[in-house]
């Protein structure tokens, strides 16, 4: 693997995935791999502090896609235990619990730890390795390289200077193939490097140039770099002894600190500069170094390309693999949404000085480019895409990692971890099989017939199950076999059902009397059990308000003491993952039926007030009748006082009481005119009842709060030790009679012990009665 040794600094992470994006892959990971052997004791506190700083920086960045965190400690011979979490505090807790001990010999199990992290992280992620020793497990480098290519992820190794002397280049090989860095630093340089690492993390990094120069270069030669308008930051790095970097913009201006050049890192073997908001066009780099060196340029941009390899012309990206087949003709399918016109597709060997080989190109559809065929060499290479974007600027990118041709390997299968089907609907389960040679794929489940297909190259296979039932729930296995072996992956299928109502879905309309009580029952069914909620005229109803009570886990809504005018539409809504259903309950509240019209005029006058009845008839004979009896013939208990007085054509009545209610008539020789007079008075109880009652268990008790008054009084009942009003749905065995003026409780039990109050009220006043009930 000598071809892998030449790189120590490359661009950081790039979004460039050839795999189907499943829901669990839409975020990135941040992994820490820690050497916990005894020689790290002096470096541990500093490294831990900076790891925490990196973590905090990621968490406070508004646009961060990093949501998954991994920690892998390694010693000798033990690696792990591995911790993965979505809570960063868990990782910091693990870092604080690290015990630095053991080791003995110099090499440690670093590659194994990196592989453990690579297996867990999501695509387009970051791994940070902290060590002071070479790896003991270099034979596993190829396994790590395979995972790096598949995960398109970055490995950064910070290796502090120690007494270990080794020529091993395993970490450099990993960085060379991928998009990471290997930093060999003294203790005083650790902070500088970690500060650079922290600010360089960005999931929108794209690779623009990657060149290896195998000898020193004291005379700078120009390197051309195309920058499009999507590039928000340009970073140039050189690894080599005493390197220099000069950057000239498209108008010929050499960039310096006064014109926006920022030096991110300046060490003896590494130099990195950055330009913010570079103008679009062709930039020129002038590089020198006193040793063999690498030149890398990358930028911050949301515009990049996906790619994949196939041995025959693919129809889409799902029919490609992330690596080409060794020794065979291969095609490259490129998907580049921002390119209006493709100019070239090239291959650049990793060990070259930038020389490229152009491939035949064919526009394959909107934003798609087909390159090849070509037979890849054994050495790793980059793919370079060059074109013109929609704004007329040249667009140039290279792959995030270099690529190694591969012998036929067992199929690589990607399935979603879980899938959900809805009863009566269709279940869709996807299986992406990556294979460089023909293969057979099967879908199997205990409750579904085995399905088999044959494919010539990578494909995505979708299993569709129609008319889903709960019997389809379980493990579905996608297995694929080719000449190199067999692989399988499973999907846990959960079946759910849309909510329904046990009482039926028909809407309901209820007419209530003023002050009445009513309960709407609404039981939602479904898998999973639906979330129930009540709404009034479209707005959520609280569990307990002025005259509305929601009980039994939102299955019942009780309306009590209903006020006049409270006509509303109540909606019961049941929701789960499968959907939402609603049922509407309309209430119409009606007041007391008005008295029939029995006179020309109707009057309501409060008790003890005076009233003057003005007769509108002409030539009135001054004769007044009350309920057909001449006023002058009426004798009242207050006969010693003047009660009725006729004033011309009017009748005045003094200090009204309930006996004065009735129909008053004035007349002349031809006509009559009538007044219906009603007397308003405050409520008063009709019947006396003891305030303390002792009732034996299972008997019946009656609380009497019948009252007279006008307007007709409303009655309100409460139990002193209960937060809820008394209704048949909140107090077992209760029943109202006489328009709620009588409360009857059947089958008395211990729960009925307590104090009961009734309040009778109209607009002229109220009365209250209290009952103590003792059950024995």
């Amino acid at each position: 693997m000598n071809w892998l040794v030449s790189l120590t600094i490359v661009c950081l992470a790039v979004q460039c995935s050839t795999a189907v994006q499943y829901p669990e892959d839409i975020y990135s990971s941040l992994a820490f791999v820690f050497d916990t052997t005894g020689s790290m004791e002096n470096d541990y506190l500093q490294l831990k502090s900076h790891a925490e700083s990196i973590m905090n920086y990621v968490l406070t960045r508004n646009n961060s896609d990093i949501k998954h965190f991994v920690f892998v400690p390694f010693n000798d011979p033990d690696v792990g235990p591995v911790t993965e979490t979505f809570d960063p505090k868990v990782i910091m807790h693990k870092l604080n619990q690290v015990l630095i001990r053991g080791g003995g010999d110099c090499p440690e199990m670093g590659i194994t730890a990196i592989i453990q992290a690579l297996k867990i992280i999501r695509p387009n992620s970051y791994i940070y390795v902290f060590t002071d020793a070479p790896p003991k497990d270099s034979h596993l480098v190829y396994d790590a390289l395979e995972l790096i290519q598949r995960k398109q992820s970055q490995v950064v190794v910070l290796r502090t200077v120690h007494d270990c002397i080794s020529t091993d280049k395993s970490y450099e090989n990993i960085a060379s193939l991928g998009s990471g860095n290997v930093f060999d630093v003294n203790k005083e340089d650790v902070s500088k490097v970690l500060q650079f690492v922290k600010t360089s993390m960005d999931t929108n990094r794209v690779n623009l140039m990657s060149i290896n120069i195998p000898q020193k270069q004291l005379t700078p030669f120009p390197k051309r770099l195309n920058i499009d308008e999507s590039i928000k930051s340009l970073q140039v790095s050189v690894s080599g002894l005493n390197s220099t970097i000069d950057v000239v913009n498209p108008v010929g201006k050499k960039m310096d600190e006064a014109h926006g050049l920022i030096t991110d890192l300046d060490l003896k073997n590494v130099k990195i500069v950055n330009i913010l908001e570079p103008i679009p066009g062709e930039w020129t780099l002038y590089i020198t170094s006193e040793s063999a060196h690498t030149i890398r340029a990358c930028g911050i941009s949301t515009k990049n390309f996906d790619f994949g390899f196939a041995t025959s012309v693919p129809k889409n990206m799902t029919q490609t693999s992330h690596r080409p087949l060794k020794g065979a003709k291969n095609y490259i399918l490129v998907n580049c949404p921002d390119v209006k016109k493709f100019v070239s597709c090239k291959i650049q060997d990793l060990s070259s000085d930038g020389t490229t080989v152009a491939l035949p190109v064919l526009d394959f559809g909107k934003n798609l480019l087909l390159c090849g065929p070509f037979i890849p060499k054994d050495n790793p290479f980059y793919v370079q895409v060059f074109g013109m974007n929609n704004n007329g600027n040249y667009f140039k990118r290279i792959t995030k990692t270099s690529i190694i041709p591969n012998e036929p390997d067992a199929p690589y299968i990607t399935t979603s971890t879980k899938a959900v089907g809805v009863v009566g609907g269709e279940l869709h389960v996807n299986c992406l099989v990556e294979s460089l040679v023909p293969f057979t794929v099967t879908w199997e489940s205990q409750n579904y017939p085995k399905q088999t297909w044959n494919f010539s190259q990578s494909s995505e296979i979708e299993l569709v199950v129609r008319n889903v039932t709960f019997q389809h729930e379980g493990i579905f296995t996608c297995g694929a076999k080719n000449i190199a072996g067999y692989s399988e992956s499973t999907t846990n299928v959960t079946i759910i059902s849309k909510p329904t109502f046990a009482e039926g879905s028909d809407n309901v309309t209820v007419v209530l009397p003023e002050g009445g009580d009513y309960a709407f029952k609404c039981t939602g069914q479904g898998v999973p059990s639906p979330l129930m909620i009540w709404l009034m005229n479209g707005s959520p109803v609280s569990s307990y308000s002025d005259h509305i009570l929601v009980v039994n886990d939102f299955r019942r809504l009780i309306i009590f003491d209903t006020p006049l005018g409270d006509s509303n539409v109540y909606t019961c809504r049941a929701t789960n993952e499968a959907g939402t259903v609603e049922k509407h309950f309309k209430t119409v509240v009606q007041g007391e039926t008005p008295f029939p019209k029995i006179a020309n005029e109707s009057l309501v006058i409060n008790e003890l007030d005076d009233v003057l009845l003005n007769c509108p008839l002409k030539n009135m004979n001054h004769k007044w009748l009350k309920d057909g009896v001449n006023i002058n013939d009426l004798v009242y208990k207050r006969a010693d006082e003047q009660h009725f007085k006729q004033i011309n054509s009017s009748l005045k009545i003094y200090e009204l009481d309930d006996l004065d209610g009735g129909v008053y008539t004035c007349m002349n020789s031809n006509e009559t005119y009538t007044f219906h007079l009603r007397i308003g008075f405050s409520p008063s109880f009709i019947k006396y009842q003891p305030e303390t009652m002792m009732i034996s268990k299972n008997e019946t008790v009656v609380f009497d709060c019948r009252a007279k008054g006008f307007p007709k009084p409303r009655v309100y009942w409460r139990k002193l030790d209960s937060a809820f009003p008394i209704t048949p749905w909140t107090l077992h065995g209760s029943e109202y009679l006489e328009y709620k003026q009588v409360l009857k409780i059947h089958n008395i039990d211990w729960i009925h012990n307590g104090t009961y109050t009734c309040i009778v009220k109209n607009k002229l006043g109220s009365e209250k009665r209290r009952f103590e009930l003792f059950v024995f």
Side-chain angles (χ1 to χ4, degrees):
M1 290 191 195
N2 291 334
W3 43 263
L4 286 174
V5 175
S6 58
L7 178 62
T8 57
I9 295 289
V10 296
C11 291
L12 301 179
V14 176
Q15 295 260 16
C16 184
S17 173
T18 60
V20 172
Q21 291 288 304
Y22 290 102
E24 57 264 39
D25 292 331
I26 60 176
Y27 50 83
S28 299
S29 307
L30 174 61
F32 293 107
V33 178
F34 259 77
D35 183 345
T36 61
T37 56
S39 60
M40 286 289 290
E41 186 171 6
N42 294 331
D43 301 322
Y44 170 68
L45 290 178
Q46 185 178 190
L47 294 175
K48 182 177 76 69
S49 172
H50 284 289
E52 186 172 6
S53 176
I54 291 172
M55 181 84 75
N56 290 334
Y57 177 77
V58 168
L59 293 175
T60 55
R61 206 171 59 183
N62 293 331
N63 61 346
S64 177
D65 292 325
I66 300 174
K67 304 183 186 303
H68 179 239
F69 304 93
V70 177
F71 175 62
V72 185
F74 68 95
N75 205 285
D76 187 7
D78 299 321
V79 174
V82 177
T83 301
E84 65 168 324
T85 178
F86 291 93
D87 183 357
K89 294 179 181 178
V90 173
I91 298 298
M92 294 315 304
H93 176 70
K94 291 292 183 180
L95 284 169
N96 288 322
Q97 286 187 321
V98 166
L99 295 177
I100 305 298
R101 62 186 179 187
D105 60 340
C106 191
E108 315 298 355
M109 303 293 285
I111 306 299
T112 300
I114 292 173
I115 291 173
Q116 294 275 18
L118 283 165
K119 287 179 178 179
I120 295 174
I121 62 171
R122 278 25 179 191
N124 302 305
S125 295
Y126 312 87
I127 298 176
Y128 293 95
V129 184
F130 300 92
T131 186
D132 64 351
K136 178 177 287 188
D137 44 4
S138 298
H139 61 286
L140 298 176
V141 165
Y142 194 83
D143 294 336
L145 297 179
E146 158 64 20
L147 286 168
I148 288 173
Q149 290 175 91
R150 184 172 296 283
K151 292 294 182 75
Q152 294 286 294
S153 292
Q154 168 197 93
V155 180
V156 174
V157 180
L158 194 149
R159 190 167 51 195
T160 55
V161 175
H162 197 257
D163 295 335
C164 293
I165 299 174
S166 173
T167 58
D168 185 275
K169 297 297 181 182
S170 295
Y171 290 135
E172 285 79 1
N173 290 343
I174 289 173
S176 178
L177 183 74
S179 57
N181 302 299
V182 177
F183 293 104
D184 285 309
V185 293
N186 297 314
K187 295 184 186 300
E188 58 271 18
D189 293 328
V190 170
S191 294
K192 297 178 184 178
V193 174
L194 284 171
Q195 181 62 26
F196 161 71
V197 167
K198 179 175 71 175
T199 57
S200 296
M201 284 191 304
D202 198 305
T203 54
N204 290 325
R205 283 190 176 268
V206 295
N207 275 9
L208 304 174
M209 176 184 290
S210 179
I211 299 175
N212 292 354
I213 309 296
Q215 66 278 333
K216 66 181 179 180
Q217 192 171 55
L218 301 181
T219 302
F221 288 94
K223 307 294 182 184
R224 309 298 178 185
L225 191 64
N226 290 98
I227 300 296
D228 61 86
E229 72 284 352
S230 74
I231 303 294
K232 303 305 179 185
S233 173
L234 170 63
Q235 185 182 92
V236 180
S237 64
V238 178
S239 64
L241 187 63
N242 297 324
S243 302
T244 65
I245 304 174
D246 288 330
V247 183
V248 177
N249 70 14
V251 296
K253 180 67 177 179
K254 179 181 176 181
M255 305 298 290
D256 54 27
E257 291 184 2
H259 294 88
L261 183 74
I262 302 170
T263 301
D264 284 335
L265 197 62
D266 192 359
L267 303 177
K268 185 175 182 180
N269 293 305
V270 178
K271 186 165 186 177
I272 302 174
V273 299
N274 195 11
I275 295 110
L276 300 178
E277 300 294 340
I279 60 176
E282 187 177 75
W283 290 62
T284 306
L285 308 180
Y286 295 92
I287 309 295
T288 68
S289 178
E290 296 177 5
S291 67
H293 55 288
T294 62
I295 304 170
R296 301 290 183 261
C298 54
I300 304 297
S301 172
T302 57
K303 308 298 184 181
N304 203 23
F305 71 99
D306 288 342
F307 67 98
F309 299 92
T311 54
S312 59
V313 175
K315 295 180 180 179
N316 51 53
M317 294 298 296
T318 62
Q319 293 187 346
T320 65
S321 299
H322 73 292
R323 297 168 69 178
L325 181 62
K326 186 177 181 179
K329 289 184 178 180
N330 287 264
Y331 293 89
I332 308 174
L333 184 62
V334 173
N335 180 16
C336 198
D338 195 52
V339 170
K340 182 178 180 180
K341 178 183 178 181
F342 290 100
V343 176
S344 66
C345 174
K346 297 181 178 181
I347 295 294
Q348 177 190 327
D349 195 287
L350 173 66
S351 59
S352 75
D353 61 355
T355 303
T356 59
V357 177
L359 301 181
V361 296
L362 174 68
D363 285 340
F364 200 63
K366 186 177 181 181
N367 306 125
L368 289 175
L369 175 70
L370 185 67
C371 312
F374 75 106
I375 299 177
K377 298 179 180 179
D378 290 344
N379 290 342
F381 62 89
Y382 294 99
V383 176
Q384 180 194 97
V385 175
F386 187 44
M388 183 175 291
N389 66 17
N390 294 324
N391 294 325
N393 292 312
Y394 284 109
F395 179 100
K396 193 173 186 179
R397 300 285 190 273
I398 64 172
T399 50
K400 175 185 174 180
T401 67
S402 51
I403 299 145
I404 306 172
N406 196 23
E407 299 282 357
D409 198 1
Y412 184 85
I413 302 179
T414 304
T415 61
S416 52
T417 305
K418 56 186 178 181
V420 177
V422 179
V423 171
E426 291 186 350
L427 169 68
H428 295 255
V429 192
N430 290 345
C431 177
L432 180 64
V433 180
E434 187 179 325
S435 175
L436 294 167
V437 292
F439 64 92
T440 299
V441 64
T442 59
W443 267 115
E444 291 185 81
S445 176
Q446 182 177 357
N447 299 316
Y448 195 75
K450 181 177 179 180
Q451 306 290 310
T452 302
W453 300 270
N454 295 310
F455 295 92
S456 60
Q457 59 187 7
S458 299
S459 293
E460 183 175 25
I461 300 93
E462 182 181 58
L463 177 67
V464 180
V465 181
R466 295 178 173 84
N467 298 319
V468 171
T469 70
F470 285 112
Q471 296 299 316
H472 292 121
E473 187 164 275
I475 302 298
F476 280 70
T477 301
C478 179
K481 183 179 181 180
N482 63 14
I483 59 173
Y486 174 82
S487 302
E488 66 179 33
S489 181
T490 61
T491 298
N492 187 7
V493 171
T494 302
I495 304 302
I496 62 178
S497 63
K498 294 180 180 179
T500 59
F501 294 120
E503 299 79 14
S505 58
D506 293 341
N507 296 332
V508 176
T509 299
V510 175
V511 178
L512 294 175
E514 181 185 7
D517 301 340
Y518 199 84
F520 298 118
K521 188 177 181 183
C522 184
T523 307
Q525 301 172 326
V527 179
S529 296
L531 173 69
M532 307 295 296
I533 186 173
W534 283 93
L535 302 101
M536 182 177 73
N537 299 329
S539 299
V541 174
S542 60
S543 296
Y544 185 30
S545 61
D546 181 39
H547 61 281
I548 301 172
L549 176 64
V550 180
V551 295
N552 302 131
D553 294 328
F554 287 83
R555 291 194 297 271
R556 192 185 295 275
L557 181 139
I558 301 170
I559 306 173
F560 59 93
D561 299 334
T562 312
L564 187 63
D566 193 59
S567 298
N568 296 297
V569 175
Y570 296 90
T571 301
C572 175
R573 178 182 293 169
T575 302
N576 68 7
E577 297 173 31
T580 297
V581 291
E582 292 184 347
K583 183 175 180 178
H584 304 291
F585 300 84
K586 183 179 180 180
T587 60
V588 179
V589 182
Q590 294 182 346
E592 185 178 351
T593 303
F595 289 101
K597 187 173 182 179
I598 59 176
N600 298 106
E601 288 188 40
S602 294
L603 301 172
V604 178
I605 307 297
N606 292 343
E607 190 178 28
L608 299 180
D609 285 350
D610 300 341
V611 64
L612 182 66
L613 306 178
N614 294 309
C615 183
L617 300 179
K618 295 180 180 180
N619 302 317
M620 181 191 166
N621 59 11
H622 301 291
K623 187 175 181 180
W624 282 88
L625 305 176
K626 178 183 183 295
D627 298 328
V629 179
N630 193 307
I631 288 293
N632 296 323
D633 295 336
L634 294 175
V635 177
Y636 287 92
K637 60 182 178 180
R638 297 180 298 167
D640 57 327
E641 299 177 9
Q642 186 178 21
H643 192 62
F644 298 107
K645 183 179 181 180
Q646 295 185 49
I647 305 171
N648 297 324
S649 61
S650 299
L651 175 66
K652 186 169 185 178
I653 309 172
Y654 296 90
E655 296 182 10
L656 293 169
D657 64 21
D658 58 345
L659 294 176
D660 291 318
V663 177
Y664 291 82
T665 305
C666 66
M667 61 184 67
N668 61 21
S669 58
N670 298 315
E671 300 175 276
T672 61
Y673 191 88
T674 56
F675 299 85
H676 185 195
L677 177 62
R678 285 175 288 179
I679 311 303
F681 59 97
S682 62
S684 61
F685 293 112
I686 297 173
K687 181 181 177 181
Y688 168 77
Q689 185 175 6
E691 292 189 353
T692 301
M693 287 176 280
M694 300 185 68
I695 308 294
S696 62
K697 196 166 179 268
N698 298 322
E699 293 295 323
T700 298
V701 66
V702 175
F703 300 120
D704 193 329
C705 275
R706 283 178 291 176
K708 61 181 180 178
F710 189 84
K712 183 178 178 180
R714 290 181 59 183
V715 186
Y716 304 89
W717 290 89
R718 295 292 185 270
K719 191 170 185 286
L720 211 59
D721 58 352
S722 174
F724 301 133
I726 298 173
T727 72
W729 308 280
T730 56
L731 184 64
H732 177 68
S734 63
E735 175 188 11
Y736 283 126
L737 305 172
E738 300 284 336
Y739 300 102
K740 296 184 70 172
Q741 293 189 99
V742 176
L743 172 62
K744 191 174 186 178
I745 306 176
H746 304 272
N747 299 316
I748 291 293
D749 206 342
W750 310 118
I751 63 169
H752 296 110
N753 268 311
T755 301
Y756 296 78
T757 62
C758 71
I759 300 174
V760 291
K761 178 191 293 186
N762 67 12
K763 66 180 181 179
L764 298 177
S766 65
E767 287 289 334
K768 182 178 181 180
R769 181 170 277 178
R770 178 187 181 106
F771 305 97
E772 294 284 349
L773 175 62
F774 297 95
V775 181
F776 62 91

